[in-house]
Amino acid sequence: MRGAPLAKDVEHWLSRLDPKQRAALERLRAQIRSAAPGSEEVISYGQPTFKLHGHLVAFGAFKNHLSFFPMSSVIIARHAKQLDGFETSKGTIQFSPERPIPATVVKKIVKERIAQNLEVTDARARKKRAAAKPRPPPGTSKPKAKSKR
């Protein structure tokens, strides 16, 4: 959809697709919603994106294929056997309306992305707490122990 104005929301974005593409992406969208209740749908970088504790997954439509963006090369690699026959790269899984990604694989990927996002969120919170710990004023630190000679 290059050259078209940015969509204001996911419904608007989907409305511009041909019926086969739209139906396939609506199914994918429903699978993502089911696996990530409470997620938020937004348009990010011109693509429909789900957010839950950060960017979760996205999808897109192109002239010759549809794409599912798990936003994790590790997760894509982990599911390589289940994605055999689909074109994949570090950040995307390509599919067609005639050959969608199996719903069980979509669900597993989304659940793993939620876990990844929670790990990152927890790590950031720990780092922030550690940085916020009060430090003694300069010159009031404990004296160093004398070395034994």
Side-chain angles (χ1 to χ4, degrees):
M1 289 186 271
R2 289 192 177 166
L6 287 179
K8 60 183 181 224
D9 58 32
V10 177
E11 283 301 322
H12 180 228
W13 189 91
L14 287 165
S15 72
R16 300 189 279 180
L17 300 177
D18 78 54
K20 282 185 180 181
Q21 286 183 319
R22 181 180 178 133
L25 290 177
E26 285 283 9
R27 281 190 300 277
L28 178 63
R29 182 184 187 198
Q31 293 164 359
I32 296 167
R33 281 181 172 165
S34 173
S39 60
E40 176 188 7
E41 287 182 287
V42 299
I43 299 293
S44 181
Y45 296 98
Q47 301 291 344
T49 303
F50 285 80
K51 291 174 74 176
L52 187 62
H53 309 291
H55 284 86
L56 188 62
V57 296
F59 57 82
F62 303 89
K63 184 177 179 180
N64 297 315
H65 68 274
L66 302 172
S67 285
F68 177 46
F69 302 103
M71 300 183 190
S72 171
S73 60
V74 171
I75 289 177
I76 292 172
R78 193 177 296 147
H79 293 281
K81 283 185 181 179
Q82 296 166 316
L83 295 169
D84 189 38
F86 291 95
E87 186 73 30
T88 62
S89 69
K90 283 184 176 182
T92 187
I93 303 164
Q94 295 179 4
F95 64 102
S96 68
E98 298 78 28
R99 187 157 187 260
I101 302 165
T104 56
V105 177
V106 171
K107 181 178 181 176
K108 287 177 186 177
I109 288 172
V110 172
K111 293 291 188 184
E112 287 180 39
R113 282 290 298 132
I114 293 169
Q116 272 187 340
N117 280 0
L118 286 172
E119 285 175 19
V120 169
T121 301
D122 289 347
R124 286 181 182 150
R126 282 192 303 274
K127 186 175 180 180
K128 190 173 183 179
R129 281 193 303 272
K133 284 185 180 178
R135 295 183 181 164
T140 61
S141 62
K142 294 181 186 176
K144 293 183 182 181
K146 294 182 180 179
S147 64
K148 298 176 185 177
R149 288 190 189 194

